[in-house]
Amino acid sequence: MLYENPKIKKIAVLTSGGDAPGMNAAIRAVVRATIYYEKESVAVYRGYDGLIAGDYEPMTARSVSNIIQRGGTILKTARSKEFMTTEGRAKAAANLRAQNIDALVVIGGDGTFRGATRLYEEYGINVVGIPGTIDNDLAGTDYTIGYDTACNTVIKAIDAIRDTASSHNRLFFIEVMGRDSGFIALRSAIAAGVEAVLIPEHLITIPELITKLETGAKNKKTSSLVVVAEGGKSGNAMEIAAKVEEQFSHYDTKVTVLGHVQRGGTPSCADREIASKLGVAAVEAILMGKTGVMVGIINNSLAITPFEDVVITKKVINLETFRINEILAV
Ligand code: ADP
C-alpha cells in the first residue's frame, strides 16, 4: 500500500450544503479508499446536522454499490443553522471523539468549507474537503463535482428551446444558476451557441445588448437566445427581458428560468471521474497527515489547498471564452 498511517483508524464522510450530481461517486470513492487502506468507514447523514445529532452509520464496500450513476446524495444534505453556533460545533466535535473518528471528509461548497475550517481550527479535528457544487465557484480546483453535469443539462434545455425559438421568430432569455458567478452561464453559452450571455463578472448594459440583437436581426437571424446568469448585475432574466422588449420589437420575447433541473440528473462521465479521483485523494491526504485542506484538480494534476485560501480567494473566470462567443455569434 502506498500510504500507511497507524494513527488513523476511522474515517467519516458527509455531504453538506447544496446537492450536486457526482456527490454519490465521491462518497463511494471515499468509502472504498478508506476500506482499501484497511481503515473503518463511517457515513454521517444530513451534513452538519447529522454530525451534531450523531446520525452515523458504519459503511462497508458494498454499502456504496450501485450509486456511482445516481444524482443527489445518498447521505442526504442539509443547511445546518445549529452548526453556525459554538454549542453546535462543540457537540459535533464531542460526537466525533466519542465515536473514535480520527478524520472527516466533507463534500460541499464554500459554506461547507467555512464550517470545516472552524471544526479544524477550534477543535483540531482532521478535516479534508472535496469540492461538490454545480456552480464551479471554488478556488483551488479547475472543476467542482456537479458542474459538468449541470452544464450538460443546460445545453440540452437550450437545444430544445432553440427548436421552438427558430420556429416562431422568438427571442428567448434563459436564466441559469451559478449564484454570484457566471461559470455555468459562460460555458453553456459557448457550447449551445447562443447570441449573448450575461454574467456577473462582465457587465453588458441593456443598450449594448439591444445593439447586439439588432445586429443579429440585420444579419438575418430569425431568432435569438440569451443566457442570463442568476447573479448578474443587470437584473434577472425577467427584468432584462422586460427592459429589452420595450425597445426591441423584432421578435416575440419569452423567458425560461431553468431552476432546479440543473441540480439533478445522472452525473456525466467527467463528474464521475473527478469525484472518484478526489475521493481517493481525500483519503490519501488524511493518511499523509495533510488536513485542513481541500483536494482539487488544477491543470489535470491533484492540487491540495488550505481551506483558508479556498474560502477567501475569488475564483477568476476566463473571459477569453466570452470573446470567443462574441466572435461566433456574428
Ligand atoms: P455550500 O457548502 O453548498 O456552500 P452552505 O453555504 O449552505 O452550502 O453551507 C453549508 C453549511 O456549512 C451551512 O448550512 C452551515 O451549517 C455551515 N457553514 C457555512 N458557513 C459557516 C461558518 N462561517 N461557520 C460555521 N459553519 C458554517
Side-chain angles (χ1 to χ4, degrees):
M1 259 180 279
L2 196 52
Y3 302 99
E4 305 273 350
N5 187 340
K7 278 195 213 144
I8 303 288
K9 295 189 174 67
K10 211 190 245 190
I11 300 175
V13 58
L14 61 78
T15 49
S16 162
D19 65 310
M23 278 185 163
N24 280 328
I27 295 165
R28 170 182 178 268
V30 172
V31 169
R32 295 255 169 108
T34 302
I35 290 166
Y36 170 84
Y37 281 108
E38 298 172 356
K39 311 296 179 190
E40 281 177 66
S41 174
V42 178
V44 179
Y45 288 89
R46 298 182 292 113
Y48 293 135
D49 270 347
L51 203 59
I52 296 167
D55 198 355
Y56 302 167
E57 188 186 331
M59 301 295 271
T60 68
R62 301 286 76 74
S63 313
V64 288
S65 297
N66 204 19
I67 65 165
I68 195 168
Q69 78 283 19
R70 285 165 57 190
T73 157
I74 60 158
L75 299 184
K76 312 282 184 197
T77 182
R79 293 205 152 92
S80 171
K81 284 208 179 88
E82 208 180 343
F83 196 76
M84 303 289 280
T85 67
T86 312
E87 299 74 34
R89 291 193 297 279
K91 244 193 244 175
N95 278 346
L96 285 166
R97 295 219 168 91
Q99 297 277 333
N100 297 315
I101 291 168
D102 304 301
L104 173 68
V105 177
V106 295
I107 306 168
D110 68 332
T112 297
F113 299 150
R114 274 177 222 280
T117 308
R118 303 190 83 166
L119 209 51
Y120 174 73
E121 284 176 356
E122 293 168 5
Y123 298 95
I125 304 287
N126 294 317
V127 195
V128 170
I130 297 180
T133 163
I134 62 166
D135 302 329
N136 199 32
D137 58 349
L138 286 172
T141 192
D142 291 340
Y143 299 105
T144 57
I145 297 166
Y147 171 56
D148 185 63
T149 306
C151 290
N152 280 304
T153 306
V154 169
I155 65 168
K156 255 186 244 159
I158 297 176
D159 290 348
I161 289 169
R162 183 186 291 283
D163 289 344
T164 177
S166 54
S167 306
H168 290 276
N169 287 7
R170 276 178 179 160
L171 166 62
F172 262 93
F173 289 86
I174 303 144
E175 186 174 299
V176 304
M177 283 183 168
R179 296 198 301 178
D180 53 1
S181 68
F183 288 96
I184 295 178
L186 192 53
R187 185 166 179 233
S188 305
I190 193 166
V194 304
E195 277 60 44
V197 50
L198 278 72
I199 59 170
E201 295 86 344
H202 184 96
L203 182 69
I204 294 185
T205 62
I206 301 294
E208 281 168 345
L209 177 60
I210 290 173
T211 306
K212 214 183 267 279
L213 295 169
E214 277 170 346
T215 308
K218 266 187 222 137
N219 290 340
K220 302 195 169 41
K221 285 190 190 236
T222 54
S223 63
S224 278
L225 305 177
V226 179
V227 169
V228 181
E230 65 181 352
K233 294 185 186 82
S234 312
N236 64 28
M238 282 287 188
E239 292 160 349
I240 294 168
K243 285 182 207 159
V244 170
E245 203 172 18
E246 276 174 21
Q247 299 167 53
F248 182 78
S249 54
H250 297 65
Y251 309 131
D252 179 17
T253 303
K254 300 283 176 199
V255 178
T256 302
V257 179
L258 293 184
H260 281 82
V261 293
Q262 295 163 91
R263 276 190 188 278
T266 303
S268 68
C269 177
D271 277 333
R272 295 183 205 192
E273 185 194 12
I274 62 162
S276 300
K277 287 181 175 169
L278 293 180
V280 171
V283 171
E284 292 184 339
I286 290 167
L287 298 178
M288 284 189 276
K290 288 189 184 163
T291 58
V293 297
M294 184 195 83
V295 291
I297 291 177
I298 297 178
N299 294 333
N300 273 327
S301 299
L302 178 67
I304 296 182
T305 310
F307 281 141
E308 220 179 280
D309 296 342
V310 174
V311 299
I312 61 166
T313 313
K314 169 101 177 131
K315 186 171 179 178
V316 180
I317 198 160
N318 185 354
L319 291 177
E320 175 65 4
T321 316
F322 209 96
R323 194 180 70 82
I324 292 165
N325 203 54
E326 294 264 315
I327 292 172
L328 298 178
V330 67

